[in-house]
Amino acid sequence: LSPFWSFVLLFSTTYSFQTLFCRYRGFILFLTFLFYTAYHLSRKPISIVKSQLHRNCSTVVKPADLNITDNDTWCDWAPFDQNNYQSLFGYLDNSFLVAYAIGMFISGIFGERLPLRYYLSFGMLMSGLFTCLFGLGFYLNIHSLGYYAFIQVMNGLMQTTGWPAVVACVGNWFGKGKRGFIMGVWNSHTSVGNILGSLIAGVYVSSAWGMSFIVPGLIIASTGILCFFFLVEKPEDVSCTPPQHHSGETEPLLQNSSHIDRTVNGAITTESVEVIEEHTEAISFCGALCIPGVVEFSLCLLFAKLVSYTFLYWLPLYISNVAHFKAKEAGDMSTLFDVGGIVGGIMAGLVSDYTGGRATTCCVMLLGAAPMLFLYNYIGQRSLGTTIGMLLLCGGLVNGPYALITTAVSADLGTHESLRGNSRALSTVTAIIDGTGSIGAALGPLLAGIISPTGWNNVFYMLISADVLACLVRNITLFNDITIQQELPFI
């Protein structure tokens, strides 16, 4: 338990345990929201800075005292001043995303066995360090692709500490009831982080792009310090009982309660309650794979995240090239996609709670996303109003299923009824689902870098195909919705 909360517990006797528990839950939800906002905030600058590393130099005013040897690339940052700059950007993206995908599978295993407070604090501090090191390349005049690729690999590995840990922490504090809506609202940290990262990077991108990385790096390092002092990993740490995860469980408020007082006809009676002890041994990787629905939703997320992360890393450059916006304007416009993602994630969680079908909700949104992507590519740049409307709509339909799978579905599967006797599966299940999704996140930007020189139309055909494949894979779990709803009610 952190020093701060140890102090709070000494002076908490004046509050009822119900009030105290609610305050803890609200504060933990806010803290984890802040933490993962910082994670995504530090990932976004690379997509904003791309259009500054390689520009159309014919539109840039040349300094009078500059000795120019190449009129076409004098304003570009080597090694991104060559014709293969899009492929080089793809290599940078993939350096991060492949490391992230590989590290995610390992991170969940560590997350089950190490204190989450220490694990998150370490991850945020190291992510801040490597984000700042990328920005220092501007001030140290570093032009080595290997340097930036190495920084991206290390940052990708450090970023894997975030997602399994924060989902496990929230899952520890919140039961199954209204989980889709709560986590839909909570998961807006992804889009909020992207928006803030875009805006912060956009402030410095045209003058000193190194600060576009350094400022977010300092922010995430600061949140790591907050995590060390304020995070409470689970209710047991503050003498509260974990929330109800299954419909057949009782949910007492105080830990280790063996009696419940009841009032019957004015008389107080005491009833004994059997306390069920659960084993605390962490689940194995293969054991997590055997949980019904884990493999299917993991494959669904692979294709859904491919689309989402391609937009994350390439949308500002696409807007800059097609709509001819400047770097800052393109970055600001791309935030509308994330605004739509916030609404889409909340609506997906709310609808899935009301209908009881996570897979059905995701499938419907994916079916709507494919034609919207097609329309955005062909009519999205005709006017400012059309661009804004299409970005909001596409953002909601693309990020809604992605948000639902990575939050509510992961938490549902990690606390599935088949895990009675093992309550430490949430982090591993989350890591498997998000790790598989991260393979798609790595493939999307890589394929975009390879395909984009042949035309942006082909990039959108690739994204539409991925959405269709995600929907086809999702039909497996959609069938489960209809046939085994009683067995797996969360799906």
Side-chain angles (χ1 to χ4, degrees), residues 174-435:
F174 289 86
K176 185 178 178 295
K178 302 301 180 183
R179 181 180 276 166
F181 174 69
I182 291 172
M183 286 196 159
V185 175
W186 175 76
N187 191 64
S188 63
H189 52 47
T190 299
S191 296
V192 172
N194 291 340
I195 292 170
L196 292 177
S198 298
L199 296 177
I200 293 172
V203 171
Y204 305 101
V205 64
S206 299
S207 55
W209 62 259
M211 292 301 294
S212 296
F213 291 90
I214 293 175
V215 173
L218 293 176
I219 291 174
I220 188 173
S222 300
T223 58
I225 297 173
L226 287 177
C227 176
F228 180 80
F229 285 105
F230 295 103
L231 181 66
V232 181
E233 300 175 19
K234 48 188 180 294
E236 298 96 310
D237 290 341
V238 286
S239 301
C240 294
T241 296
Q244 181 178 350
H245 291 297
H246 310 293
S247 57
E249 294 178 358
T250 58
E251 187 179 359
L253 187 62
L254 301 182
Q255 187 177 11
N256 297 326
S257 296
S258 57
H259 297 83
I260 295 179
D261 292 334
R262 301 184 184 277
T263 302
V264 180
N265 295 328
I268 299 177
T269 62
T270 301
E271 298 179 4
S272 296
V273 177
E274 181 183 359
V275 178
I276 300 175
E277 296 291 339
E278 293 186 347
H279 300 292
T280 58
E281 180 183 355
I283 193 171
S284 66
F285 185 86
C286 293
L289 284 176
C290 293
I291 299 172
V294 168
V295 174
E296 294 92 332
F297 274 108
S298 297
L299 293 175
C300 295
L301 185 62
L302 186 150
F303 295 109
K305 207 167 181 178
L306 183 153
V307 178
S308 180
Y309 267 65
T310 302
F311 273 94
L312 174 67
Y313 282 92
W314 286 90
L315 182 58
L317 186 62
Y318 169 77
I319 294 174
S320 179
N321 287 352
V322 176
H324 308 293
F325 282 29
K326 294 182 180 178
K328 184 180 184 306
E329 295 170 345
D332 292 344
M333 184 65 69
S334 69
T335 62
L336 294 172
F337 183 84
D338 294 297
V339 173
I342 294 175
V343 179
I346 294 173
M347 291 302 299
L350 192 62
V351 171
S352 70
D353 277 341
Y354 179 76
T355 62
R358 311 279 197 223
T360 307
T361 303
C362 292
C363 192
V364 170
M365 296 187 79
L366 286 170
L367 285 174
M372 287 303 105
L373 291 176
F374 181 84
L375 288 175
Y376 173 65
N377 183 41
Y378 278 92
I379 68 172
Q381 308 300 331
R382 290 186 178 179
S383 67
L384 182 61
T386 305
T387 300
I388 293 173
M390 292 300 296
L391 281 175
L392 290 171
L393 189 57
C394 288
L397 293 173
V398 168
N399 284 341
Y402 160 43
L404 187 62
I405 295 173
T406 54
T407 53
V409 170
S410 296
D412 287 344
L413 293 171
T415 55
H416 184 246
E417 292 179 347
S418 65
L419 294 171
R420 292 294 185 91
N422 189 342
S423 59
R424 298 178 60 192
L426 188 51
S427 183
T428 300
V429 169
T430 301
I432 290 174
I433 293 176
D434 200 51

Side-chain angles (χ1 to χ4, degrees), residues 40-57:
H40 258 265
L41 181 148
S42 64
R43 296 181 197 177
K44 187 64 178 178
I46 183 66
S47 65
I48 304 300
V49 171
K50 281 178 183 176
S51 55
Q52 184 70 16
L53 298 177
H54 187 96
R55 295 184 285 174
N56 182 1
C57 296

